[in-house]
Amino acid sequence: MSTAQLQQSRPAHAPALTWWLAAGLVGADIGTSVFYSTGILYPLVGGAAPFFITFVCSAMWLFKLTYQEGCAVSPLNGGAYTMVLQTIGRRTALIVGSMTILSYLATAVVSALSGAKYLSTLPILGHTVWSNWQIALVAAVPIVGFAILNVFGLRESTKLTFAIAAFHFVTLIGMDVYGLFLAFTQGAHWERLTEGFGALAPHAVVMAFAAAFLGITGFESAAQIIEEIAEPRWLSIRRIYTTIVILVSFTGPISSLLCIVLLSDADVVKYKDAFLSGVAVLEGGTPMLYLLVTNACLTLFAAVNTAFAGATGLITTMGKQGNLPALVLQRWTDWRPALQGYPLAVLPFMALCVVMLVAFPGSVDRLGEVYGIAFLGVMIFYCAGVLLLRLHQPVKIARAPYINTWTFKIRHVTLPWAPLLGAILLIFAQGVLIITAHEARGLGLQLFLAVLLLMAFYRLGQVETRMVQLPDLRLGLGKYRKMENLPDLPTYVICTSGSNATRLVTEISYLLKKFGENIEILLFHAEEQSAGPARLSEGLERLISQQIEEFYDSRDFILSLKVLPGSLLEVLPEYGKSRRLNTIFITTGRDAVLSENLRVQLSSEIGVDVVRLDDDTLPKGPGVWFDQWSQGFRQRDQAWARTEPGSESRQDSDSYSDV
């Protein structure tokens, strides 16, 4: 097991975020909903808008429990993509990954455009109405600015986002408390609440229910960067979501309530597109309006960074697994140590956001609906992933530091209520949005298919050929040599990464001595993309078929080789879904601590025993015997290498080192 592989299975650097920094990152996105939720719901349900917002805030407790369990059971970046990858498979995960990237693209663009629109309403800037292109130009500033900050690292950009989120919630809580004081001491239009319920139409209720769920967009962001959050991660996630749900459950309904009961009839008409601005003027005049607009602008701009953080976590995870080019994992730390981020993930994302700004400068509403549809889809898949983990990976559930205890049983399987009820609510809201948002439905489908096509084109060209078309090398030895159809035998896996021939023989001999014959020994190699096209795997196949096979000719067992692109932690569990693996053996490599962490993770992911083969526990004999026996083969291959055209780049057949 090489150090490079071990490092690829873990974060590239130490966790960067405390729980409260991560809470600021998530809160910046969810916190923006207060600026538009009431305005969306009021034309549909009138004075009943605060009750719909309260219902959705209550539903957030279901999603809090769902994400706590998901992140505790599977603490890997990628959110819904990773959950689906582990439970359903790569093809569906690719769809979910495309949907998630689309949601973050729409998040960044909509937040930037909305923030620029709020900025344009400041009286200090004059009363000239900004054109769409002026708004788009200003919107490009936070997109480019946060892209540059993320090149320096997630922590650097998140510090600024946390400061803005803290300013936002402090301002909002202050306005809410003072607004409640005014409502109870100076009078308010409380009758609007009951009038709103009396005028409800069934179709309006359904549409308002769906629209209200747009008020929790951004909820999934912490799951995208779970590996960057400080240990213990499950506890950090609980703190993050507890804090956010409490803050939003207070500020969302109360702010909406004040918009309904404090404003006069004339103000309702005047501020129909920005109800909170009317409340600010009522509470503190023009200075308070300046403060609110500044708060709205900054918070919406901070939500751009939430999109960058979530997208980067997903893109780098997909890069490790071969679903995106390995270039997205590159950093510039060797050139400048301060540059801890992933520029080749961040900068293309920034470029796509700018392209969307240019293409849709005046389409904030349509893009907002696209964002809502994509966001709800991502959360539905996450809920489904948590349920499927209970069904398919009980070992991981048993070892998780936290799982939901509010459960029910179906045929001896215990399932949690929270993701099931959450998924039902989300599916209903998603269906309503898809049916009613005609323009957004078409635009969203086009953008989604474009993102999916790009990913599918890369994956099919670079990965699918290796994953599907290349068969396993499976050799029957001894009594199995002449069999046309090899039987299914107990399978023991040796994870190898360029081991030389003598070491492979030592490991194979150790397994034969430990488990006896009539078994299958599978040499498994997870090939990093940087290793080049099948360079190491071809060498291993040649080594096995030309030398090791003959060395063990008299022993009755099956010797196999399987090579998959990506990191061991990702591709071995995927391969384990297609066949039963009895025991897995990994080697220590250069770092015993990383190796032990990998062993624990693999055991949890696959649900079988994973054993570490330390050098001091392996016998020394078999490799020596093989080294003496294979001298003739090495001389033959060296002679062949000198005569074969273009063969000067080949390695000796008995040794294939890491690239």
Side-chain angles (χ1 to χ4, degrees), residues 642-658:
R642 288 193 295 270
T643 58
E644 184 72 14
S647 63
E648 62 275 4
S649 63
R650 294 183 179 268
Q651 300 171 339
D652 289 345
S653 62
D654 69 332
S655 179
Y656 298 92
S657 58
D658 287 357

Side-chain angles (χ1 to χ4, degrees), residues 19-97:
W19 72 265
W20 46 272
L21 279 178
L25 191 69
V26 178
D29 197 351
I30 300 181
T32 61
S33 63
V34 73
F35 299 118
Y36 57 78
S37 292
T38 305
I40 293 175
L41 295 175
Y42 188 80
L44 297 172
V45 295
F51 296 96
F52 284 84
I53 294 175
T54 301
F55 174 80
V56 171
C57 289
S58 301
M60 277 200 297
W61 291 95
L62 295 176
F63 304 132
K64 170 184 175 293
L65 294 174
T66 300
Y67 276 80
Q68 281 180 206
E69 176 169 323
C71 292
V73 175
S74 180
L76 300 172
N77 285 354
Y81 163 81
T82 299
M83 300 294 285
V84 171
L85 179 68
Q86 294 177 2
T87 55
I88 300 177
R90 284 182 176 266
R91 288 177 176 82
T92 306
L94 192 67
I95 295 174
V96 176

Side-chain angles (χ1 to χ4, degrees), residues 90-159:
R90 284 182 176 266
R91 288 177 176 82
T92 306
L94 192 67
I95 295 174
V96 176
S98 301
M99 188 182 301
T100 308
I101 288 179
L102 173 60
S103 74
Y104 281 124
L105 285 170
T107 300
V109 175
V110 170
S111 299
L113 287 172
S114 300
K117 279 192 171 185
Y118 261 98
L119 185 63
S120 70
T121 63
L122 276 176
I124 196 173
L125 298 177
H127 297 284
T128 303
V129 178
W130 288 13
S131 68
N132 288 336
W133 291 109
Q134 287 174 309
I135 291 175
L137 186 63
V138 173
V141 174
I143 289 176
V144 175
F146 278 115
I148 294 172
L149 276 178
N150 275 279
V151 171
F152 282 90
L154 180 62
R155 186 178 180 86
E156 285 66 26
S157 64
T158 304
K159 286 179 180 178

Side-chain angles (χ1 to χ4, degrees), residues 608-657:
V608 302
D609 289 335
V610 179
V611 179
R612 210 174 71 198
L613 291 176
D614 296 323
D615 289 339
D616 56 355
T617 63
L618 288 173
K620 301 300 187 291
V624 177
W625 303 337
F626 176 83
D627 192 44
Q628 297 172 353
W629 175 85
S630 63
Q631 288 293 328
F633 287 97
R634 184 159 53 247
Q635 294 171 2
R636 181 199 64 187
D637 287 338
Q638 289 173 348
W640 170 81
R642 288 193 295 270
T643 58
E644 184 72 14
S647 63
E648 62 275 4
S649 63
R650 294 183 179 268
Q651 300 171 339
D652 289 345
S653 62
D654 69 332
S655 179
Y656 298 92
S657 58

Side-chain angles (χ1 to χ4, degrees), residues 583-596:
T583 308
I584 297 169
F585 295 86
I586 65 172
T587 53
T588 301
R590 297 187 181 92
D591 193 321
V593 175
L594 285 177
S595 180
E596 177 60 19

